Amino acid sequence: MPKVTEEYIQNKKNKIIDAAYRLCLRQTVSTVTMQDIINETGLSQGGIYRFYKDIDEIFSDMILYLRQKESIKEKLDEILKQANELPPREITNRIFDMLADFMKRELMGIEKIDFELSVLAMNNPARVDKILRNIPGTGNMEYLTMRTMEYFTEQAASGRIHPRVSVAELLSFISSAYTGIQTNCIVHNCYKHEENPLADYYQPDVQLQTLAQIVNYLIGEEK
């Protein structure tokens, strides 16, 4: 019997991961089953279970792949490299422009999956913990929080910004506001079909530009 190579194994896993991703875009994450993946890949049941013991292992590899494929980390680092060269309000605007571009590009992809995992976590936290616990490194939003906390703390200490609230309060507000914007944009663009008079405003760039203005006010950098 020919030896199975690492490349062969990875190719099979990639086929399964790609199928899981397509299914998660067509359905909600919580409704995707192993049988769906078997049907989508055309592989046998044994052909799937040879590589993954359950669907949550597949989701873990899928999320890891998506984090590596669509990362904001390098773009954020490039913006923050200019922290002492540009006005703080310009750094804020560039960060939120980058986030708006990411959200628009991935609204029906990573952002939708992240949102549905959050909903799943409310109903089945143990399952989501199982999916996420073995994924190495930090996700986009965790990295954003860590790096912007460092940035705001350094800028406040140097007197370049004069926050109206503490850095911790500022970041918790940004996180909550971003999650709300993400949720609204997904709900109004992915799930609702009826005409909404505010539909034009439930768009990532519009919502995140407004959030950038609020953040600049809170750090004392409003125009």
Side-chain angles (χ1 to χ4, degrees):
M1 215 177 145
K3 184 179 178 182
V4 175
T5 64
E6 287 296 323
E7 182 181 7
Y8 173 86
I9 293 171
Q10 193 56 56
N11 286 340
K12 287 293 185 183
K13 284 188 168 186
N14 288 344
K15 183 175 183 178
I16 295 167
I17 290 167
D18 288 344
Y21 180 62
R22 291 194 301 273
L23 286 162
C24 286
L25 299 188
R26 298 203 302 264
Q27 303 171 208
T28 58
V29 171
S30 61
T31 64
V32 177
T33 66
M34 280 296 254
Q35 188 59 53
D36 290 329
I37 293 176
I38 290 167
N39 295 341
E40 184 76 13
T41 59
L43 296 173
S44 66
Q45 187 177 47
I48 299 286
Y49 283 102
R50 181 179 181 185
F51 303 103
Y52 293 103
K53 69 180 181 183
D54 59 32
I55 193 167
D56 291 339
E57 278 197 350
I58 297 173
F59 284 162
S60 290
D61 271 5
M62 178 187 73
I63 293 166
L64 176 60
Y65 168 74
L66 293 174
R67 282 184 177 182
Q68 294 170 338
K69 176 176 175 281
E70 292 292 343
S71 174
I72 66 169
K73 297 176 185 178
E74 290 183 4
K75 291 178 181 178
L76 178 62
D77 288 343
E78 283 300 315
I79 293 170
L80 293 181
K81 277 182 183 177
Q82 304 174 76
N84 295 318
E85 301 168 13
L86 296 173
R89 66 176 176 274
E90 180 62 24
I91 295 294
T92 300
N93 292 338
R94 291 189 183 196
I95 289 173
F96 282 100
D97 284 346
M98 180 265 295
L99 289 173
D101 179 66
F102 176 76
M103 191 182 286
K104 281 191 296 184
R105 193 172 66 251
E106 289 298 326
L107 191 64
M108 287 292 290
I110 296 171
E111 295 283 86
K112 174 183 179 289
I113 291 170
D114 278 349
F115 167 69
E116 290 172 353
L117 282 172
S118 298
V119 174
L120 182 60
M122 296 177 197
N123 300 302
N124 195 341
R127 184 181 176 197
V128 174
D129 179 64
K130 177 187 170 189
I131 292 169
L132 299 178
R133 96 170 49 120
N134 294 320
I135 300 175
T138 56
N140 282 321
M141 292 305 109
E142 293 91 344
Y143 189 77
L144 176 71
T145 300
M146 178 185 70
R147 292 288 282 120
T148 51
M149 177 172 276
E150 293 171 356
Y151 164 70
F152 285 129
T153 300
E154 291 168 359
Q155 293 291 298
S158 67
R160 297 194 81 221
I161 62 172
H162 301 88
R164 290 176 161 88
V165 296
S166 72
V167 171
E169 289 171 320
L170 176 63
L171 287 171
S172 65
F173 168 74
I174 293 172
S175 176
S176 298
Y178 183 89
T179 300
I181 289 169
Q182 177 193 53
T183 300
N184 278 325
C185 289
I186 289 170
V187 167
H188 286 272
N189 287 278
C190 300
Y191 305 127
K192 289 193 173 180
H193 301 290
E194 69 271 18
E195 188 62 33
N196 186 313
L198 295 177
D200 289 344
Y201 297 96
Y202 286 116
Q203 303 302 325
D205 48 352
V206 175
Q207 298 264 300
L208 288 170
Q209 283 171 10
T210 301
L211 181 56
Q213 292 178 42
I214 295 169
V215 171
N216 277 330
Y217 170 80
L218 290 174
I219 65 173
E221 279 290 304
E222 75 278 18
K223 290 183 180 178

